[in-house]
């Protein structure tokens, strides 16, 4: 039971981590608090759902296609909506309030559009439901694949951030945006790229989620909240932190559900989250 | 009035203030000098309670104040200005000055506070401007307002952190007269200052810091002639 | 001070303007139509449920009435329907206000019930006060003393928690007695009104029947993973697994059970099992799964109803609340046909009359529909009613459920 | 090679820099002296567009008007700025910081050789390439900042109080390093309070007070100029 | 000027008090909703306006109020329940405030968002696991008009408090805190104490707003009363009007409330889409709040006047 609970927790945490990665990039680098983040995830899920259910294509193909789409959508969004706000903000607090309000509006907008196009029933398809046995826990192959994709994207991203010029530049912007021009980085376009990248990951997360779990047009808010919790716990802009915190939340939920009371899993998540905020507001892995 | 013993402040691994001791007597005006980064402002922040000390003891007017929050220290009669001017732009000019009156040891509010605030504004050369917004003030006037805010409560002691920086020679003249007036009224003053002309004119005694430690303490002329001080300021060749 | 005054004036003006716009509208016109209003959760957390059961049937019924050239009144004349629909955004305050608006502003002739147990309860006093009959088809009977005295115009059509529990026990009892089932039950339920209510009923019924409740846990809304809970259920050694769950959870519970080859002899997840999407979600591999609801698959009326539903809405109705809601609308239609637009008389007729609906000929007892399918089971691709076992058309329960393949 | 004409910088109502003009010749090292708050940092920030310049005034570099080049484009032209407070990326390693310095296209071709050269100049950094900059001492961070600026292969280096907050012995070391940089023929514009060391380094200097240039001259003249002692010690 | 202000206020209050007499049930419902948001937005601005702490905990306290009524409905008279609800709100506010008011900026925002969720989860768990109930019935005979009058009273108290604070030394302190906490501290202001006091007062008012309205819903569940949309609505209304001004939140709440009501009845199917667009539009079109527009017009008028003179 001990190991299988751990495995269950890790698999669960894998998706959390993947979704949180994009948000930590958006908030850490582009400095936009995006409350409509979960809606991008749901958009990705709907996109793949559409490909699979009406065209009979493979979800994996959907995943490949959804990444550039998620990037483009978020990149445009930054240019149209957030860049003007960044430009006009007199101080960081103003931008934060503005982006909270705007993205809350976008959240409504997106949910309304999803409902209009897809209805508000559950959407989902069955794929890779064969069980895989991991340390005594039987997990859907789709879920395991989801974990692998999460690790792959997370790891790939981490490597890119460490090794490529592009990644190092983004990290520099996350670290001290005000110094970025000193090394020839255009802060605005870096922020835009980061926002797009976050959106690409969000959409990928949605594609992965759709592979093993039905969803509805209004599930985005819940995902945003989960991702926010993880981002804060991992430290804003800290990719490794988001990965670790995501897995941790998954494991904690599994153990609380198993050993204490399933009714307290979410309460435990929030308690840990609030505890981290009070004890180490800069994140567990700062 | 003020007694500082073995005052030490570490930021992470960096020791910003390292075992500093000094006293300031009632009615004294003391200059706290040193090159940039030598820890002067940190000492001011430790005294006013803006930063918690790592080690050491600070006594003010017979009470231990290290560990006390700044609002309690302020109520004991210790005011300060800040290195970079800090005002509260949501409040109009007069209200900036009324604020410390309303929350002083003997709170004053209402018409009495208005009267005293206007007197303080007049004293610093901002007579009749109490109703305007802070945004209308230029740099020197902002500094004036900050001083008015610091002195309106008739504090026992005043900490001035580079209050005269950035003033042109005429403004400096006025500023020095202002401080001299406060000194003559018996206020104890500790000032961090780079403008030597002002230091020489106002402070009979100086304390010099370098790299977090006190390197000199004594009559201003003696201290400024001290080889260590000259080296700290100008480099080796001037010795 | 000046800006304050201006602010005040601006606010006063805004208030006045807004109120006049709200107050003076809509007066009764010549009777050219029957105005039917409803407020349901078109958006928000309840939208998934409302869009699966309530809204499609309201639309289908309106369509069917239109096809019949309108509602027939006692004098044989026909009047077309005029539908006014609001979105309560899944918030009770909005729902309450919408119903007030329908009753007092739009002055509709009848108001259809909102979606969900809590929401139907929230507006029951309003329906009662304004004198509208309330046909609650998506609400299990509330556990309130003197229900029909309190709200005489409210009709609860989805059964009571005790009824579900006893119906389940009735199906299982013979198998337990024969030793086919070991009588141990593992139960999980969602932590909201629905889960609490049904699990409380089940708890009593199981105890009364001498079943052994070896696992009894609740989980919160928003739970994503049921692996640990199912692991525990399997470890408990229970032959009977019961979940009072919501659709998303139901899908996840089913998927996880298959994965971990958890094969209890009785597998009974909650709402969602009765959804048409349940079978394709599980590649059709749902034989023997029990849950709430069910239909009489041999009934021609039900088959026609399903065909019309698919034709209009391009999807099948669910096999629990959908036919009940449609039947409730047929009841309303027939009551109007007998008593006209007098709401008081219609309410009385609903309480005492007998109606011919897709569920067969039905009549209410103590403002409740009691003759209905409480427990159903997937058999040959249909979710058929198996309990009450003595109800005509009841299929025989398959126990044990065949293993997942 | 570099010339700023009548530039001003304003923060809100405060005029921090008032119509200042100055020039730096090819391979020349120029120092700007002045007390705290005199506007020295604003001058450098105005030049590299880190702080917006008030309208009017212009900046020319290598015969080109660069007044409209945004802050991030300046380093690409060959002007590297080491700001007050160093401007290093504290959560990143020495290696990463150097790499960032090599961002401009002009420096990319010979990145590795460049890095070896720079590390040769700062042997201490070579030993600690993997260290996170935020964990290093002030002097070391200053070295990182200068090394990073050199990575961009600048023709003009702007240094803002590199001796700020450093222990005297470290200050000495740093000025030695700067001398070597100067001797490579790079133009340097340095803002300093350390009068002696900086005048030793520079050929020429400006004295700035309350946002205006009040004196100018070659280093030897300034060294003995009473204006300087006046500004710093009130002698 | 002051007496004029007070007089207008009184006239307005009396006018608002007699409003329900002329209109029917739906009008009462609309008035309740409007007054509720006037109270919520004003109470929110009481703390968040000057301190600039963006709180999303509104619904946490609103829900606590409503839920307290649901728990005690059968045991105490309504008045006593309101007292208990207010006290619970106060205790929670003090506890939360002591722990969190040192969090700055976005961390406070997210904390306050999480708080509502945590409270909801804990109540749910307690009710289901310990009490084995969840939904609670509220059978208290209070008419909609009565609820409106109670809310109106609460609104008058809220605005009165805001006016009093604005004219007392506390007002100086909170504005100074919003600008620069260090300056406020050095001026002798007990910053933590002031922030805590404001947070507590604001939270109690919000709790009462929830408690007063609860009888309207008959049936209460955590998921019903802890609806995060309420927090965002409150926030956007206060910001639209301008949280720093006495009448700002009211000026934001009234038009927005009616706008949303109008959208909900006219476009029930595009409701969410339009609502979302309105949020976005507000941020872009009225960044400083509606009442700041008045300042702008006045400044423009003054400039024009000066030009005319010259």
């Amino acid at each position: 039971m001990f190991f299988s609970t751990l495995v269950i927790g890790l698999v669960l945490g894998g998706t959390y981590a993947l979704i949180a990665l994009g948000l930590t990039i958006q908030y850490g680098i582009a400095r936009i608090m995006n409350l409509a983040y979960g809606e991008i995830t749901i958009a990705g899920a709907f996109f793949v759902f559409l490909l699979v259910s009406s065209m009979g294509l493979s979800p994996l193909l959907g995943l490949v296609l959804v990444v550039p789409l998620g990037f483009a959508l978020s990149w445009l969004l930054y240019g149209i909506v957030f860049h003007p706000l960044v430009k006009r903000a007199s101080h960081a607090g103003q931008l934060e309030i503005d982006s909270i309000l705007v993205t809350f509006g976008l959240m409504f907008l997106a949910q309304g559009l999803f409902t209009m196009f897809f209805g508000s029933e559950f959407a989902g398809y069955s794929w890779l439901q064969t069980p895989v046995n991991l340390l005594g826990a039987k997990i859907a192959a789709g879920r395991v694949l989801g974990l692998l994709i999460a690790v792959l994207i997370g790891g790939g991203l981490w490597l890119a951030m460490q090794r490529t010029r592009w990644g190092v530049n983004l990290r520099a912007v996350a670290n001290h945006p005000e110094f970025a021009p000193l090394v020839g980085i255009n802060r605005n376009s870096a922020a835009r790229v980061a926002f797009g990248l976050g959106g690409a990951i969000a959409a990928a997360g949605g594609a992965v989620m759709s592979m093993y779990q039905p969803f509805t047009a209004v599930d985005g808010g819940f995902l945003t909240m989960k991702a926010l919790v993880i981002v804060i716990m991992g430290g804003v802009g800290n990719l490794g932190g988001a990965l670790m915190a995501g897995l941790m939340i998954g494991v904690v939920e599994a153990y609380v559900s198993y050993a204490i009371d399933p009714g307290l899993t979410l309460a435990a998540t929030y308690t840990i989250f609030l505890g981290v905020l009070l004890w180490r507001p800069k994140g567990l892995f700062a | 009035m003020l007694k500082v013993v073995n005052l030490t402040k570490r930021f992470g691994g960096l020791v910003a203030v390292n075992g500093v001791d000094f006293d300031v007597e009632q009615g004294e005006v003391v200059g706290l000098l040193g090159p940039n980064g030598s820890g002067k402002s940190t000492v001011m922040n430790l005294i006013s309670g803006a930063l918690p000390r790592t080690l050491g003891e600070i006594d003010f007017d017979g009470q231990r104040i290290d560990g006390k929050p700044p609002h309690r220290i302020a109520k004991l009669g210790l005011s300060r200005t800040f290195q970079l001017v800090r005002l509260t732009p949501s409040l109009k000019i007069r209200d900036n000055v009324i604020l410390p009156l309303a929350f002083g040891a003997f709170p004053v509010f209402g018409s009495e506070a208005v009267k005293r605030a206007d007197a303080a504004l007049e004293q610093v050369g901002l007579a009749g401007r109490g109703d305007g917004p802070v945004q209308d003030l230029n740099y020197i006037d902002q500094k004036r307002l900050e001083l008015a805010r610091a002195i309106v409560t008739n504090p026992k002691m005043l900490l001035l952190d580079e209050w005269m920086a950035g003033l042109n020679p005429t403004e400096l003249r006025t500023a020095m007269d202002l401080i001299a007036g406060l000194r003559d009224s018996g206020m104890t003053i500790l000032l961090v200052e780079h403008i030597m002309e002002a230091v020489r004119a106002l402070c009979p005694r100086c304390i010099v810091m370098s790299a977090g430690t006190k390197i000199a303490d004594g009559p201003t002329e003696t201290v400024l002639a001290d080889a260590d001080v000259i080296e700290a300021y100008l480099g080796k060749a001037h010795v | 001070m000046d800006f304050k005054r201006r602010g005040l004036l601006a606010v006063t003006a805004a208030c006045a303007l807004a109120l006049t716009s709200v107050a003076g509208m809509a007066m009764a016109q010549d009777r050219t139509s029957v105005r039917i209003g409803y407020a349901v959760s078109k958006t928000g957390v309840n939208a998934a449920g409302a869009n699966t059961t309530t809204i499609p049937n309201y639309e289908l019924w309106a369509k069917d009435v239109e096809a019949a050239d309108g509602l027939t009144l006692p004098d044989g004349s026909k009047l077309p329907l005029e539908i006014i629909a609001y979105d309560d955004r899944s918030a009770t305050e909005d729902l309450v206000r919408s119903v007030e608006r329908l009753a007092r502003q739009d002055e509709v002739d009848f108001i259809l019930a909102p979606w969900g147990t809590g929401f139907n309860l929230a507006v029951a006093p309003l329906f009662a006060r304004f004198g509208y009959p309330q046909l609650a088809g998506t609400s299990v009977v509330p556990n309130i003393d003197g229900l029909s005295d309190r709200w005489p115009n409210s009709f609860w059509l989805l059964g009571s928690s005790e009824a579900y529990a006893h119906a389940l026990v009735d199906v299982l009892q013979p198998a337990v007695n024969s030793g086919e089932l070991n009588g141990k039950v593992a139960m999980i339920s969602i932590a909201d009104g629905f889960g609490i209510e049904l699990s409380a009923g089940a708890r009593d019924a199981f105890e009364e029947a001498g079943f052994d409740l070896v696992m009894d846990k609740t989980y919160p809304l928003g739970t994503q993973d049921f692996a640990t809970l199912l692991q525990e259920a399997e470890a408990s050694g229970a032959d009977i697994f019961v979940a009072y769950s919501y659709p998303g959870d139901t899908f996840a519970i089913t998927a996880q059970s298959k994965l971990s080859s958890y094969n209890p002899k009785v597998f009974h997840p909650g709402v969602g099992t009765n959804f048409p999407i349940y079978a394709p979600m599980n590649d059709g591999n749902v034989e023997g799964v029990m849950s709430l609801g069910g239909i009489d698959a041999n009934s021609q009326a039900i088959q026609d109803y399903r065909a019309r539903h698919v034709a209009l809405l391009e999807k099948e109705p669910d096999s629990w609340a959908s036919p009940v809601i449609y039947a409730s609308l047929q009841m309303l239609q027939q009551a109007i046909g007998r008593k006209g637009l007098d709401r008081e008389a219609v309410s009385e007729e609903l309480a005492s009359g007998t109606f011919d609906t897709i569920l067969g000929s039905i009549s209410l007892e103590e403002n409740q529909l009691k003759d209905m399918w409480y427990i159903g089971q997937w058999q040959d691709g249909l979710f058929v009613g198996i309990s009450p076992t003595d109800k005509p058309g009841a299929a025989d329960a398959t126990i044990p459920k065949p293993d997942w393949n | 090679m570099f010339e700023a004409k009548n530039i001003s910088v304003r923060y809100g109502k405060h005029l921090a820099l008032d119509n200042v003009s100055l020039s730096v010749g090819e391979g020349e090292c120029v120092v700007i002296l002045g007390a705290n708050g005199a506007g020295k940092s604003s001058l450098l920030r105005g030049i590299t567009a880190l702080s917006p310049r008030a309208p009017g005034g212009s900046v020319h570099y290598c015969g080109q008007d660069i007044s409209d080049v945004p802050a991030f484009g300046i380093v690409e032209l060959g002007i590297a700025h080491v700001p007050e407070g160093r401007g290093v990326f504290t959560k990143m390693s020495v290696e990463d910081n150097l790499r960032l310095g090599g961002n401009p296209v002009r420096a990319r071709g010979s990145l590795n050789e460049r890095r070896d050269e720079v590390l040769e100049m700062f042997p201490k950094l070579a030993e600690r390439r993997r260290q996170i900059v935020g964990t290093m001492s002030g002097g070391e961070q200053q070295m990182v900042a200068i090394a990073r600026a050199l990575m961009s292969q600048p023709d003009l280096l702007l240094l803002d109080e590199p001796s700020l907050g450093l222990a005297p012995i470290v200050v000495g070391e740093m000025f030695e390093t700067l001398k070597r940089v100067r001797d490579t023929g790079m133009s340097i514009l340095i803002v300093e309070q350390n009068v002696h060391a900086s005048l030793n380094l520079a050929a020429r200097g400006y004295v700035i007070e309350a946002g205006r240039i009040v004196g100018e001259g070659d280093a030897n003249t300034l060294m003995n100029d009473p204006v300087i002692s006046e500004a710093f010690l009130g002698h | 000027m002051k007496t004029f202000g007070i007089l207008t206020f009184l006239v307005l209050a009396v006018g608002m008090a007699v409003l329900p007499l002329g209109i029917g049930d739906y009008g009462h419902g609309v008035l309740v909703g409007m007054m509720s948001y006037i109270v919520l937005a004003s109470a929110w601005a009481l703390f968040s306006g000057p301190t600039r702490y963006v709180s999303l905990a509104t619904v946490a306290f609103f829900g606590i109020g409503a839920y307290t009524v649901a728990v005690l409905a059968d045991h105490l008279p309504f008045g006593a329940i309101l007292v208990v609800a207010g006290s619970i709100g106060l205790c929670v506010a003090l506890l939360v405030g002591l722990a969190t008011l040192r969090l700055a900026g976005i961390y406070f925002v997210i904390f306050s968002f999480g708080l509502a969720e945590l409270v909801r989860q804990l109540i749910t768990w307690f009710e289901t696991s310990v009490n084995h109930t969840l939904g609670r019935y509220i059978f208290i005979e209070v008419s909609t008009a009565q609820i409106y009058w109670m809310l109106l009273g609460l609104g008058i108290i809220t605005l009165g408090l805001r006016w009093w604070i604005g004219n007392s030394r506390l007002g100086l302190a909170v504005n100074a805190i919003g600008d620069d906490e260090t300056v406020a501290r050095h001026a002798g202001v007990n910053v933590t104490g002031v922030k805590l006091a404001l947070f507590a007062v604001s939270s109690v008012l919000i709790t009462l707003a929830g408690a007063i309205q609860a009888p309207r819903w008959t049936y209460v569940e955590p998921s019903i009363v802890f609806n995060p949309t309420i927090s965002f609505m409150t926030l956007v209304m206060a910001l639209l009007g301008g949280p720093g001004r006495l009448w700002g939140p009211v000026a934001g709440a009234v038009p927005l409330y009616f706008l949303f009501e109008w959208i909900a009845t006219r476009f029930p199917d595009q409701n969410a889409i339009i609502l979302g667009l309105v949020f976005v539009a507000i941020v872009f079109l009225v960044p400083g709040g509606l009442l700041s527009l008045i300042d702008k017009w006045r400044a423009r008028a003054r400039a024009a006047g000066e030009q005319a003179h010259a």
Side-chain angles (χ1 to χ4, degrees), chain E residues 18 22 94 119-120 133-134 138 145 156 174 178 204 234-235 257 279 303:
Chain E
V18 298
L94 289 176
V119 172
R120 173 171 109 174
T133 57
L134 188 67
I138 303 174
I156 291 172
V174 291
V204 168
T234 303
L235 172 79
Y257 175 76
F279 266 64

Side-chain angles (χ1 to χ4, degrees), chain D residues 102-113:
Chain D
N103 252 339
V105 178
R106 66 195 331 264
R108 283 187 200 173
S110 52
L111 208 55
N112 287 338
E113 300 96 83

Side-chain angles (χ1 to χ4, degrees), chain B:
Chain B
M1 176 68 39
L2 181 77
K3 186 178 168 67
V4 171
V5 182
N6 190 29
L7 189 61
T8 302
K9 176 69 188 176
R10 289 195 198 97
F11 295 106
L14 182 78
V15 186
V17 176
N18 192 0
V20 169
D21 305 86
F22 63 86
D23 294 337
V24 178
E25 297 304 323
Q26 166 88 50
E28 231 186 338
V29 178
V30 178
L32 180 55
L33 312 181
N36 270 344
S38 58
K40 310 175 301 282
S41 279
T42 310
V43 168
M44 299 294 242
N45 285 333
L46 294 171
I47 296 173
S48 79
L51 290 172
R53 81 219 181 297
T54 310
L55 277 177
E57 189 178 327
I58 307 170
D59 293 273
F60 172 67
D61 201 22
Q63 284 197 51
R64 229 176 126 159
I65 58 166
D66 48 290
K68 277 198 165 59
H71 67 270
R72 290 204 189 286
I73 297 175
K75 282 194 167 76
L76 293 174
L78 191 140
S79 321
R80 68 169 295 178
T81 64
F82 296 89
Q83 188 176 4
L84 303 167
V85 186
R86 296 176 89 152
L87 299 169
T88 49
S90 302
L91 306 179
K92 57 185 178 183
I93 291 173
R94 182 185 297 110
D95 287 342
N96 266 271
V97 186
I98 292 181
L99 180 71
L101 275 178
F103 290 88
F106 308 100
V108 187
F109 197 63
S111 56
E112 171 68 13
V114 172
K115 222 163 72 193
R116 281 180 64 181
D118 284 345
L121 286 172
E122 191 178 341
Q123 198 180 347
V124 299
L126 290 174
R129 301 190 56 182
D131 286 314
V134 169
Q135 287 85 344
D136 281 357
L137 297 177
N138 63 21
Y139 186 62
I140 168 74
D141 286 344
Q142 290 182 14
K143 294 228 149 201
R144 285 189 161 124
L145 176 55
E146 211 185 17
L147 185 67
R149 186 177 68 200
I151 61 172
V152 70
T153 51
N154 281 325
K156 294 179 188 131
M157 182 165 181
L158 180 61
L159 306 181
L160 295 174
D161 196 349
E162 296 196 30
W163 185 71
M164 284 171 272
L167 304 188
N168 69 28
T170 342
E171 292 167 344
L172 188 62
R173 208 55 265 160
T174 326
M176 282 163 59
D177 291 345
L178 213 65
I179 307 286
L182 293 174
R183 176 194 60 197
D184 297 342
S185 73
M187 203 177 282
T188 312
I189 301 173
L190 178 64
L191 54 91
V192 165
E193 201 48 75
H194 281 281
I195 299 174
M196 289 302 154
E197 186 190 347
V199 173
R200 282 170 195 276
L202 292 169
C203 311
R205 177 186 148 211
C206 280
I207 298 163
V208 185
M209 289 182 65
S210 179
T213 50
K214 186 174 94 171
I215 58 168
D217 184 350
T220 303
E221 288 309 321
T222 327
V223 164
L224 290 182
D226 183 290
D228 289 341
V229 173
I230 293 174
E231 188 194 325
Y233 265 95
L234 299 178
K236 280 206 172 84
H238 272 265
V239 180

Side-chain angles (χ1 to χ4, degrees), chain A residues 1 4-5 8 12 16 111 115 119-126 129-132 136-141 143 213-214 216 218 222-223 226 253-255 257-258 260-266, chain C residues 41-45 47-49 51-52 56 217-225 227-229 231-232 234-235 246-249 251-252 255-256 258-261 275 277 280-283 315:
Chain A
M1 278 300 241
S4 57
T5 309
I8 289 166
L12 185 64
Y16 291 166
Q111 291 189 357
T115 312
S120 43
E121 295 98 294
F122 277 92
Y125 53 89
S126 165
Q129 289 285 8
T130 38
V132 176
K138 286 183 191 136
I139 317 271
R143 262 185 186 252
Q213 183 173 304
T216 71
V218 294
F222 173 77
L223 293 172
K226 259 275 147 67
E253 285 188 1
Y255 274 109
S257 169
Y258 158 64
I260 305 175
D261 187 328
L264 286 176
T265 44
L266 295 179
Chain C
S41 307
K42 287 169 184 264
T43 56
V45 288
N51 277 295
T52 304
K217 289 210 164 164
T218 59
Y219 66 88
L221 288 161
T223 300
Q224 299 241 305
D225 197 284
T228 30
L229 275 172
Q231 233 176 12
E232 203 179 328
E234 186 164 18
Y246 275 157
D249 319 336
F251 298 142
Q256 186 60 42
K258 282 190 195 166
L259 284 170
S260 40
S261 307
F275 284 8
I277 194 184
M281 277 288 304
N282 291 293
D283 299 327
K315 61 185 178 189

Side-chain angles (χ1 to χ4, degrees), chain D residues 82 94 98 114-129 136 139-151 157 159 162 170 173-182 184 186:
Chain D
V82 180
V94 173
L98 294 185
R114 190 77 193 152
R115 189 183 53 211
D116 293 344
E117 272 173 48
V118 167
L119 287 177
E120 209 173 303
M121 209 175 274
F122 300 96
K124 256 196 182 152
L125 299 184
E127 301 158 19
R128 318 172 72 161
R129 281 163 62 166
M136 301 171 97
E140 288 160 345
Q141 291 191 20
Q142 191 67 58
M143 297 293 178
V144 174
I146 297 171
R148 187 188 68 193
L150 295 179
M151 284 298 293
L157 182 62
L159 295 164
V170 184
E173 271 176 45
M174 197 202 55
F175 273 102
E176 284 311 309
T177 314
L178 289 179
K179 274 198 183 108
R180 283 199 303 270
V181 173
R182 178 197 63 188
T184 62
M186 195 175 292

Side-chain angles (χ1 to χ4, degrees), chain E residues 187-207:
Chain E
V189 178
N190 180 353
V191 170
T192 318
V194 169
K195 283 198 290 191
L196 194 60
L198 280 190
F199 185 64
V201 171
S202 154
S203 303
V204 168
L205 292 168
I206 292 171
T207 310

